Amino acid sequence: MSEVDVLFATLRQAADPQTVDCIESVVVRGSDRDLNRINALAFADAHHLDEEKVIAALLHAARIGAFEMTWNVLCPGCGGVLDTGTTLKAVDRETYHCALCAAGYEPTLDEMVEVTFTISPRVRRIAAHEPDRLPPLEYYRQIFFSSGVDLPADFEERFGRILLEMIELDPGEKAFVSLQLPAQFVIVFDAVTHFAQFIDVNGEPTDERQNLSMGISQGHGQNETLALRPGVLRLTLENHTDRRVLPNVCVAGDDLHDLLGRRRPFLTAKRLLTNQSFRDIYRTDTLDVDQRLKITSLTFLFTDLRGSTALYERVGDLAAFDLVRAHFRVLHEIVATETGAVVKTIGDAVMATFPTPDRAVAAALRMREAMLRLNAEHGSDDLLLKIGIHEGPCLAVNLNERQDYFGQTVNIASRVQGLADPNVILTTEAVVGDAQVSEILRDSGIASVSRMEELHGIGREVRIFALS
């Protein structure tokens, strides 16, 4: 049995076998492009697989060394990859600048950090393992643009319609190019260094040759937009870096925006952090102690057992422990199947996160039904679950050697749970106002009753909704 056979046999023990079979088939028969920076959600859609099973399989594949996982910081404008690292710890700048969009962005884990998977060279070598040897447009396609940019199949042909010049320059090499400038906005851009120069071409055409010299280097500052006239341009480009660069000159008009404007879902860092498989595999090696990464929207669900101390007194330690353990097992299973993750347990309480409010509400409704079934099986109402849900911005942090969350959203969710009565789910307006949540409640025949409550430590009244 080869090393690759051993890896996939091991993977089948940890992940869904059908999903692993599909991944192995692509590894054997797929193109090099298929195995570089795999978008887990697009892969699941293309092969009619469950997204969570695909994510789990790729995470386990990365753990055993069959794939390499990368965290890419994206420009929310053009979808280009601004930086990349093997862990989330590499996202360590306050601002990331996109030269192509001439804009700076504070990184958030919602839509600005993607997670992709590339086949390991030990399993199969692909062209992207040596990116500086990729053809220029393949470099743009496979390395510069994120997996969330839905590039058309005829990308090369359509890009060729707006391309005035494309040049490959080895380290230290200089090139002289003559080209005809149209009366349009033009960009000189290199995907390797992210060098960009904007040229506003307008006015009367000129017969005189215009000259422009540029040195391409790492860490360059933003250049001012140049004004030139339509006509011949003699462009001198020099590579000041220690690797190949790929500057192109193209027309930045509607055709370019249409070419790059289509988007598709991708695996965000936020979604991965709320994935139970990820938390189980990468327990402590996610964030540095000093990192504080923003998430603009995350949903928190808190649960607690009412009267658990009295339960131990009433039925004895052993019976109570078995009941509480069964309750934890059921809650963990429900959280995981609703695309959430358990952040921690404190005594008999659970703190869980979900990427969207509707998943948290769906989980809460299932939890309530599950506790009613457990109680019916045991012939008593011993498991009285209190549930609170809130959604909003927060910080992802490393706290007590584990990945955790901090902020007022967390505090409110905890306080809301503290007000809940047994078998009543309390949520905030941010949750019930979500369109998907409204649909779930309507389809389930769940009524909501609101009231204003002053939450301890929050300093203001909050409208809460009881789902019963």
Side-chain angles (χ1 to χ4, degrees), residues 47-231:
H47 297 280
H48 310 291
L49 298 171
D50 179 79
E51 288 182 355
E52 292 301 306
K53 290 179 179 179
V54 170
I55 294 170
L58 290 172
L59 285 171
H60 284 289
R63 179 182 60 83
I64 65 176
F67 280 79
E68 297 170 347
M69 182 167 60
T70 55
W71 303 71
N72 307 316
V73 181
L74 313 181
C75 170
C78 67
V81 175
L82 306 180
D83 197 14
T84 186
T86 56
T87 72
L88 188 54
K89 295 176 182 179
V91 184
D92 56 2
R93 299 187 219 163
E94 291 186 2
T95 304
Y96 287 83
H97 187 269
C98 177
L100 184 58
C101 295
Y105 304 95
E106 181 182 17
T108 65
L109 301 185
D110 300 70
E111 298 295 335
M112 272 192 66
V113 181
E114 71 168 357
V115 183
T116 58
F117 300 86
T118 298
I119 192 68
S120 169
R122 66 189 287 202
V123 175
R124 173 177 158 181
R125 291 205 63 84
I126 59 173
H129 288 145
E130 298 180 86
D132 288 344
R133 299 182 65 179
L134 285 170
L137 287 183
E138 276 301 304
Y139 186 97
Y140 277 77
R141 179 192 282 273
Q142 293 195 45
I143 306 300
F144 178 73
F145 288 113
S146 79
S147 70
V149 178
D150 190 12
L151 295 174
D154 60 348
F155 167 70
E156 290 78 5
E157 177 186 345
R158 290 178 59 182
F159 188 63
R161 299 172 193 165
I162 60 173
L163 184 65
L164 303 178
E165 190 64 67
M166 173 77 81
I167 309 156
E168 292 186 59
L169 289 176
D170 289 328
E173 189 176 5
K174 180 186 290 187
F176 304 93
V177 179
S178 290
L179 53 93
Q180 185 76 26
L181 287 179
Q184 298 186 66
F185 199 80
V186 170
I187 297 179
V188 182
F189 178 71
D190 169 51
V192 179
T193 64
H194 293 203
F195 169 91
Q197 176 63 64
F198 305 118
I199 306 174
D200 188 9
V201 185
N202 57 47
E204 291 296 320
T206 179
D207 293 329
E208 297 181 4
R209 188 176 68 184
Q210 303 169 99
N211 295 288
L212 185 59
S213 296
M214 299 179 190
I216 298 175
S217 61
Q218 295 283 0
H220 57 82
Q222 180 61 36
N223 296 316
E224 295 291 331
T225 299
L226 300 176
L228 294 177
R229 293 165 64 184

Side-chain angles (χ1 to χ4, degrees), residues 15-73:
D16 175 63
Q18 179 186 355
T19 303
V20 176
D21 287 344
C22 184
I23 293 173
E24 185 177 25
S25 176
V26 175
V27 168
V28 173
R29 302 179 182 86
S31 68
D32 281 10
R33 189 189 292 170
D34 293 334
L35 295 169
N36 179 54
R37 287 189 178 172
I38 292 174
N39 177 332
L41 307 189
F43 186 95
D45 181 63
H47 297 280
H48 310 291
L49 298 171
D50 179 79
E51 288 182 355
E52 292 301 306
K53 290 179 179 179
V54 170
I55 294 170
L58 290 172
L59 285 171
H60 284 289
R63 179 182 60 83
I64 65 176
F67 280 79
E68 297 170 347
M69 182 167 60
T70 55
W71 303 71
N72 307 316
V73 181

Side-chain angles (χ1 to χ4, degrees), residues 190-389:
D190 169 51
V192 179
T193 64
H194 293 203
F195 169 91
Q197 176 63 64
F198 305 118
I199 306 174
D200 188 9
V201 185
N202 57 47
E204 291 296 320
T206 179
D207 293 329
E208 297 181 4
R209 188 176 68 184
Q210 303 169 99
N211 295 288
L212 185 59
S213 296
M214 299 179 190
I216 298 175
S217 61
Q218 295 283 0
H220 57 82
Q222 180 61 36
N223 296 316
E224 295 291 331
T225 299
L226 300 176
L228 294 177
R229 293 165 64 184
V232 176
L233 171 67
R234 179 178 170 83
L235 177 63
T236 303
L237 294 168
E238 187 169 3
N239 182 1
H240 293 164
T241 76
D242 59 358
R243 58 182 297 194
R244 180 192 69 163
V245 296
L246 301 169
N248 77 82
V249 186
C250 71
V251 176
D254 291 341
D255 288 344
L256 178 61
H257 293 131
D258 291 344
L259 181 62
L260 307 181
R262 295 194 306 177
R263 297 290 186 268
R264 61 181 180 175
F266 60 89
L267 180 59
T268 64
K270 180 185 88 168
R271 178 161 178 181
L272 197 59
L273 293 184
T274 64
N275 177 276
Q276 192 63 55
S277 295
F278 175 78
R279 291 192 69 96
D280 290 343
I281 296 170
Y282 299 91
R283 292 180 182 274
T284 60
D285 192 33
T286 305
L287 296 167
D288 276 331
V289 173
D290 295 331
Q291 272 183 296
R292 307 286 188 270
L293 295 175
K294 289 187 176 182
I295 299 176
T296 58
S297 172
L298 193 63
T299 304
F300 292 88
L301 181 149
F302 281 83
T303 73
D304 197 10
L305 284 176
R306 179 178 174 180
S308 57
T309 302
L311 171 64
Y312 281 85
E313 289 287 341
R314 187 169 64 255
V315 304
D317 289 347
L318 185 59
F321 176 75
D322 287 342
L323 269 175
V324 171
R325 186 173 60 177
H327 133 273
F328 275 134
R329 182 171 60 251
V330 169
L331 295 193
H332 274 74
E333 290 173 355
I334 291 173
V335 168
T337 56
E338 293 294 344
T339 72
V342 172
V343 178
K344 57 188 173 185
T345 58
I346 307 168
D348 299 326
V350 169
M351 172 185 173
T353 58
F354 297 84
T356 55
D358 59 308
R359 294 300 87 209
V361 169
L365 294 172
R366 290 179 58 190
M367 289 174 181
R368 183 164 65 181
E369 292 301 316
M371 292 306 103
L372 292 174
R373 285 196 301 271
L374 279 175
N375 284 333
E377 290 170 7
H378 290 89
S380 63
D381 292 334
D382 289 324
L383 298 174
L384 301 176
L385 196 65
K386 302 165 58 181
I387 304 175
I389 309 172

